[in-house]
Amino acid sequence: MRKVIVNEFLSLDGIAQAPGGADEDTSGGFEHGGWHMQYTEDETFQKWVMSGINEAGGFLLGRRTYEIFAAYWPNAPEEEQVVAEPLNTKPKYVASKTLSDPLEWPNSTVLEGEVTEAIAALKKEDGGDLLVIGSTVLVQTLIEDGLVDEFRLMIDPIMLGGGKRIFPDDGALRQLRLADHEVTSRGAILATYVPA
């Protein structure tokens, strides 16, 4: 059975919005896009990111993350091909009520029917684990329905004061167990949690 692994870059106050670029997601008046990039020039971080991407059997993406990735990774510069190649070639499953197949980015498919049922069915298939990147709305749904098997979080030493979060604000108690952790040279924590 495949696992669903949520891989996220978070600020210390739990924000996941627009880690990669100033104009990545300014919704809600978010003004701190690109906040995560100062922490990426670290060998520990780079090994952590690449192991997750290379080990994944496929990717689960929300519509907005899919659109951002599909616009960038197929045309990524040569120095980023180590990341682009697995993202471009491995299967991508997209949760969207507005997109429909066929999608432009090769190896991409829109999940049919109820998203949680479609993902539960994917988990039962043979193959490598499914890695969720970004996709805050999708992640909240997966958490609410108990479909996350592992969280791989990079928690950066920065507070953003507001923005999109991955954790639902629903009052439910969900206990986790720390399975692994490292600290980067820039003070970010790489933490892996699994349901307790």
Side-chain angles (χ1 to χ4, degrees):
M1 190 160 157
R2 306 164 96 176
K3 293 192 296 186
V4 168
I5 300 170
V6 170
N7 187 104
E8 295 286 344
F9 307 140
L10 300 178
S11 65
L12 187 60
D13 55 345
I15 306 304
Q17 186 171 350
D23 297 325
E24 182 178 336
D25 180 1
T26 58
S27 62
F30 190 73
E31 298 177 352
H32 305 299
W35 54 270
H36 170 71
M37 298 313 291
Q38 63 186 310
Y39 303 103
T40 63
E41 296 300 321
D42 177 276
E43 187 176 324
T44 303
F45 163 76
Q46 291 171 5
K47 284 170 55 177
W48 181 77
V49 166
M50 288 314 304
S51 68
I53 289 173
N54 287 330
E55 293 168 9
F59 304 97
L60 291 174
L61 305 171
R63 179 197 52 85
R64 185 166 181 80
T65 300
Y66 167 81
E67 290 175 342
I68 291 168
F69 281 20
Y72 183 80
W73 290 112
N75 304 303
E78 185 60 37
E79 64 271 13
E80 293 183 344
Q81 286 304 305
V82 67
V83 177
E85 192 274 332
L87 286 173
N88 288 328
T89 58
K90 292 184 180 188
K92 292 161 287 288
Y93 305 97
V94 184
S96 174
K97 294 178 181 173
T98 57
L99 298 177
S100 59
D101 287 326
L103 296 172
E104 280 188 40
W105 195 12
N107 305 308
S108 299
T109 307
V110 175
L111 293 169
E112 293 184 19
E114 180 61 40
V115 67
T116 54
E117 291 174 11
I119 292 171
L122 279 174
K123 287 181 67 168
K124 292 178 183 175
E125 293 179 2
D126 291 333
D129 295 333
L130 301 167
L131 191 66
V132 187
I133 304 172
S135 310
T136 57
V137 174
L138 173 60
V139 171
Q140 287 192 14
T141 299
L142 294 173
I143 292 170
E144 288 168 349
D145 288 321
L147 291 171
V148 178
D149 299 291
E150 188 174 299
F151 292 94
R152 293 182 186 169
L153 309 176
M154 179 170 184
I155 305 163
D156 295 338
I158 188 170
M159 292 188 289
L160 301 172
K164 293 179 181 175
R165 301 171 184 275
I166 63 165
F167 300 112
D169 188 15
D170 60 4
L173 179 67
R174 297 175 178 92
Q175 293 186 323
L176 302 172
R177 177 178 59 81
L178 181 65
D180 194 17
H181 70 284
E182 274 186 276
V183 179
T184 72
S185 63
R186 303 220 172 183
I189 297 169
L190 305 175
T192 300
Y193 293 95
V194 295

